[in-house]
Amino acid sequence: MQSKLRAGWNIFGQRNEIDLGFRAHFENQDRLQKNGPLPTSRDGVLVESNVRTADAWSGFVQNRFVFGKWGITPGVRVERVRYARINRLLSVRGATDLTQIVPGVGISYSPSSRLTAFAGVHRGFAPPRAEDVINNSTGGVVDLDSELSWNYEAGLRARLHRRMALEATWFRMDFSNQIIPASVAGGIGGTLISAGRTIQQGAELSGRTEFRNLLGSRHSAWIRGAWTWVPTAEFASRRFSTITGFAGTPVIGNRVPYTPSQLGNASVGYTHSNGVNALVEGVYTARHYTDDLNTINPSPDGQRGRIPSATIFNATLNYPVEAWHTTFFVSAKNLTDRLYIVDRARGLLPGMPRLVHVGMRFSF
């Protein structure tokens, strides 16, 4: 359940805009797992019988102050989460809770309608899950803190032409505690661990341009793209490897697992005046490490080693029939059916194979 209020008001002759709201979120998971020979697994041995609950309450308020060409938006959010977990096989119960205050402020300056400079400082917060923070065997609280960070950004948004826009942003994420996946090779069951302080910083460039009246007045096209460069993503506090046999090896300065140095996407779209539109998109992910030792060569079990870079293509086509109030569509992900790796936590995990959706949308 979520509510939000936005209102405009004036103070000292200056325009203001306030946003405030409240959110209540409840989860209740009843999980049963049976292991047995296929295809009769449903009749196998019951190995897990869990009830997991999480109640999350949050409230926020922010106000945008406008002073001529300047805008300042301070805000704060308060998060309260309560967890519980019951292991019915062992008759074990556990519970815990947390409260976090999340402040932030943003500043913008618009010398003209075509150019805006902006900057911001915001607290980052992500709570752990019930199954990760409460031990299934003892009911005790696991040493897994919330993911906390201070996030900084500064950039420019420019409209070079009424059909062309660019945005450039520098960012820095300073985690006091980042939660990262740990491989089964680390000897701790392929779970999540607190990585301590990490620093990730880089830049992002994005843009879009439109071409109207191509080959006549009924055809239009557009191109958009974004590129993210993350040269720094490292462990910044004294910490030792979680890999079995390397417990005494320091990893400070090593790259954080699953943080590619580059991400990119580009798309080309077409629109006809009758509503027909199509899109082709390419998504690129650079190679990246999967463990805190930054292992390059794959291990025999596939649980360690660098993941190669990959580019996949997606496409969408929409064909509206106005007389029927209907739009027929077809979309495809991983259009070329490329085989690529996305995870090694429990061994080689391939990405999604080609997936095609065909359907229709009807409005009335």
Side-chain angles (χ1 to χ4, degrees):
M1 298 182 292
Q2 180 171 307
S3 62
K4 182 178 181 180
L5 171 67
R6 171 172 290 180
W9 61 291
N10 294 324
I11 183 172
F12 304 124
Q14 300 296 328
R15 180 166 56 90
N16 286 256
E17 188 175 82
I18 189 170
D19 290 280
L20 54 91
F22 176 79
R23 183 173 185 264
H25 179 87
F26 310 97
E27 292 186 6
N28 192 322
Q29 182 188 89
D30 192 333
R31 176 178 167 84
L32 299 175
Q33 179 179 337
K34 295 181 179 181
N35 288 355
L38 293 175
T40 57
S41 298
R42 293 179 182 273
D43 301 323
V45 178
L46 182 64
V47 296
E48 181 181 345
S49 179
N50 262 211
V51 174
R52 306 166 184 169
T53 62
D55 300 342
W57 308 78
S58 65
F60 79 94
V61 59
Q62 70 174 24
N63 192 85
R64 176 173 170 79
F65 300 92
V66 179
F67 304 97
K69 298 178 180 180
W70 290 88
I72 303 176
T73 309
V76 65
R77 191 172 85 248
V78 179
E79 298 274 359
R80 170 75 173 174
V81 187
R82 296 183 301 181
Y83 303 97
R85 182 173 188 172
I86 302 174
N87 184 338
R88 289 176 294 208
L89 294 181
L90 300 178
S91 299
V92 171
R93 297 171 177 260
T96 188
D97 59 73
L98 63 89
T99 301
Q100 184 67 42
I101 298 175
V102 188
V105 61
I107 301 175
S108 65
Y109 174 66
S110 301
S112 72
S113 60
R114 291 192 173 187
L115 181 64
T116 299
F118 60 90
V121 180
H122 295 86
R123 185 65 157 161
F125 164 72
R129 302 177 302 176
E131 59 264 41
D132 297 323
V133 76
I134 300 176
N135 187 284
N136 191 43
S137 300
T138 66
V141 178
V142 178
D143 183 18
L144 184 67
D145 298 325
S146 300
E147 188 171 70
L148 296 172
S149 65
W150 282 107
N151 305 323
Y152 310 88
E153 67 171 358
L156 292 171
R157 283 190 292 265
R159 183 165 288 278
L160 306 181
H161 183 271
R162 62 191 181 93
R163 296 176 184 171
M164 180 181 293
L166 291 175
E167 182 171 326
T169 308
W170 166 87
F171 62 86
R172 177 184 174 95
M173 296 180 290
D174 194 338
F175 287 87
S176 59
N177 181 53
Q178 184 176 4
I179 306 302
I180 64 172
S183 170
V184 172
I188 50 179
T191 183
L192 302 173
I193 60 171
S194 296
R197 184 169 181 249
T198 67
I199 295 176
Q200 300 180 43
Q201 66 179 6
E204 183 173 72
L205 179 66
S206 61
R208 176 186 171 109
T209 185
E210 297 180 7
F211 305 93
R212 296 184 181 179
N213 303 326
L214 292 173
L215 303 176
S217 61
R218 306 189 67 183
H219 306 274
S220 299
W222 51 262
I223 300 173
R224 68 184 180 198
W227 174 66
T228 303
W229 177 50
V230 191
T232 302
E234 63 184 23
F235 294 101
S237 60
R238 184 166 176 79
R239 183 176 175 275
F240 297 94
S241 176
T242 60
I243 304 299
T244 301
F246 296 90
T249 303
V251 296
I252 184 171
N254 284 9
R255 194 166 182 91
V256 176
Y258 296 100
T259 57
S261 60
Q262 296 185 66
L263 297 167
N265 68 78
S267 55
V268 178
Y270 165 80
T271 303
H272 192 274
S273 59
N274 64 9
V276 174
N277 61 87
L279 163 73
V280 177
E281 174 190 51
V283 180
Y284 169 76
T285 303
R287 62 188 185 184
H288 49 282
Y289 300 109
T290 59
D291 61 62
D292 52 20
L293 292 177
N294 291 177
T295 304
I296 295 177
N297 295 324
S299 60
D301 58 12
Q303 294 171 0
R304 295 172 59 195
R306 190 165 59 188
I307 291 180
S309 61
T311 301
I312 62 171
F313 294 92
N314 309 314
T316 300
L317 173 66
N318 293 287
Y319 187 90
V321 181
E322 187 174 348
W324 298 352
H325 305 285
T326 300
T327 297
F328 297 92
F329 66 88
V330 56
S331 64
K333 295 183 177 181
N334 192 5
L335 190 62
T336 61
D337 200 23
R338 174 167 183 171
L339 182 62
Y340 63 103
I341 304 171
V342 295
D343 193 275
R344 288 184 179 272
R346 293 174 174 81
L348 290 175
L349 179 67
M352 179 188 295
R354 182 191 295 122
L355 175 66
V356 178
H357 283 160
V358 178
M360 58 183 291
R361 289 186 295 269
F362 176 74
S363 59
F364 56 91

